């Protein structure tokens, strides 16, 4: 009888410990997230080839961080090539709508990465990626109110495997947000939930 009681106690204790968050379980969740889906540093450019009309191209000087400036920079560092194309219709001046079509070069294709969008339906998207984040340190985690199954994790990260072209002055100037995330990383926060017996970062959380 005592053996049955001890077995039941061990089972209940084991279940209880699995329900409770700890530095180890939350660190593992964040680390897995960065390794598998959340760690890639990318340009958020998924549409290839990419067309810009004449009006877009005129905005390079006015908007140094705009899409036309970004395409110009990517061409300068060898990731895309461009050619003049007829886009159909007319522009604001009534002239035939002529623009540029940007396509990835062989170098650019090497940095095209399939990134998961939804783990549930296993959908993904392609993006130009140039570096990868890894967990540096779990700073702290805090449980959300009225639940033991959701916590907010605060952590710092390191950046590894930075592409040489992402270190260029041209890239850092035009892709300033991406450069900051790479070379001046700030602490991040993710929502971590208990799902199917495991702690996991909730996809899309901030």
């Amino acid at each position: 009888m005592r053996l049955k009681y001890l077995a039941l106690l061990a089972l209940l204790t084991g279940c209880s410990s699995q329900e409770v968050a700890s530095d180890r379980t939350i660190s593992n969740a964040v680390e897995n997230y960065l390794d598998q889906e959340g760690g890639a540093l990318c340009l958020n450019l998924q549409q290839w080839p990419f067309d810009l009309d004449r009006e877009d191209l005129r905005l390079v000087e006015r908007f140094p961080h705009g899409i036309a400036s970004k395409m110009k920079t990517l061409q300068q560092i060898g990731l895309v090539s461009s050619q003049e194309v007829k886009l159909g219709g007319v522009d604001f001046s009534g002239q035939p709508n002529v623009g540029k079509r940007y396509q990835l070069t062989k170098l650019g294709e090497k940095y095209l990465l399939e990134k998961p969008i939804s783990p549930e339906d296993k959908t993904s998207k392609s993006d130009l990626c140039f570096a990868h984040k890894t967990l540096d340190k779990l700073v702290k985690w805090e449980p959300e109110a009225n639940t033991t199954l959701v916590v907010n994790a605060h952590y710092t990260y390191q950046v590894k495997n930075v592409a040489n072209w992402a270190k260029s002055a041209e890239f850092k100037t035009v892709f300033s947000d991406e450069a900051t995330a790479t070379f001046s990383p700030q602490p991040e926060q993710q929502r971590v939930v208990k799902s199917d017996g495991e702690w996991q970062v909730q996809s899309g959380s901030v």
Side-chain angles (χ1 to χ4, degrees):
M1 194 67 183
R2 179 173 174 76
L3 289 176
K4 289 184 179 181
Y5 170 77
L6 291 175
L8 178 60
L9 180 62
L11 179 62
L12 293 175
T13 302
C15 291
S16 176
S17 63
Q18 289 179 356
E19 292 280 337
V20 177
S22 67
D23 288 350
R24 179 182 60 81
T25 56
I26 302 305
S27 290
N28 287 344
V30 174
E31 190 170 26
N32 289 338
Y33 169 73
L34 294 178
D35 286 346
Q36 296 174 15
E37 61 175 295
L41 283 166
C42 306
L43 302 183
N44 196 28
L45 295 171
Q46 297 100 33
Q47 178 185 333
W48 300 103
F50 197 99
D51 294 342
L52 291 177
D53 62 26
R54 184 179 293 152
E55 294 303 317
D56 292 325
L57 296 171
R58 288 173 179 167
L59 298 177
V60 170
E61 299 300 329
R62 186 181 301 178
F63 299 104
H65 303 289
I67 188 61
S69 296
K70 290 182 177 180
M71 288 297 161
K72 180 180 179 180
T73 299
L74 292 179
Q75 184 166 5
Q76 288 175 340
I77 59 183
L79 297 184
V80 304
S81 61
S82 69
Q83 62 180 2
E84 190 172 280
V85 294
K86 294 181 179 180
L87 301 175
V90 295
D91 61 20
F92 292 122
S93 65
Q95 298 297 315
N97 193 11
V98 177
K100 280 189 176 181
R101 175 163 293 166
Y102 294 86
Q103 301 191 70
L104 293 174
T105 62
K106 289 186 178 180
L107 175 63
E109 290 175 349
K110 292 181 180 180
Y111 294 93
L112 198 62
L113 177 68
E114 287 285 329
K115 295 180 61 181
I117 297 176
S118 171
E120 291 76 18
D121 56 17
K122 299 182 179 180
T123 56
S124 63
K125 63 181 179 181
S126 297
D127 203 344
L128 276 177
C129 302
F130 58 91
H132 200 278
K133 295 185 290 187
T134 60
L135 179 64
D136 174 41
K137 181 177 66 175
L138 179 68
V139 178
K140 65 178 181 178
W141 56 268
E142 303 165 322
E144 290 195 355
N146 303 319
T147 179
T148 59
L149 301 180
V150 182
V151 304
N152 290 303
H154 303 256
Y155 62 92
T156 56
Y157 65 88
Q158 297 178 334
V159 179
K160 297 183 177 181
N161 302 322
V162 181
N164 287 332
W165 50 265
K167 302 174 185 178
S168 68
E170 297 91 339
F171 177 86
K172 293 179 181 179
T173 298
V174 176
F175 292 89
S176 55
D177 290 342
E178 291 83 355
T180 297
T182 305
F183 302 105
S184 302
Q186 301 297 312
E188 291 187 330
Q189 177 181 340
Q190 295 290 347
R191 196 166 185 256
V192 186
V193 301
K194 184 72 176 293
S195 176
D196 297 329
E198 295 182 357
W199 288 97
Q200 302 174 4
V201 170
Q202 188 176 51
S203 182
S205 66
V206 177

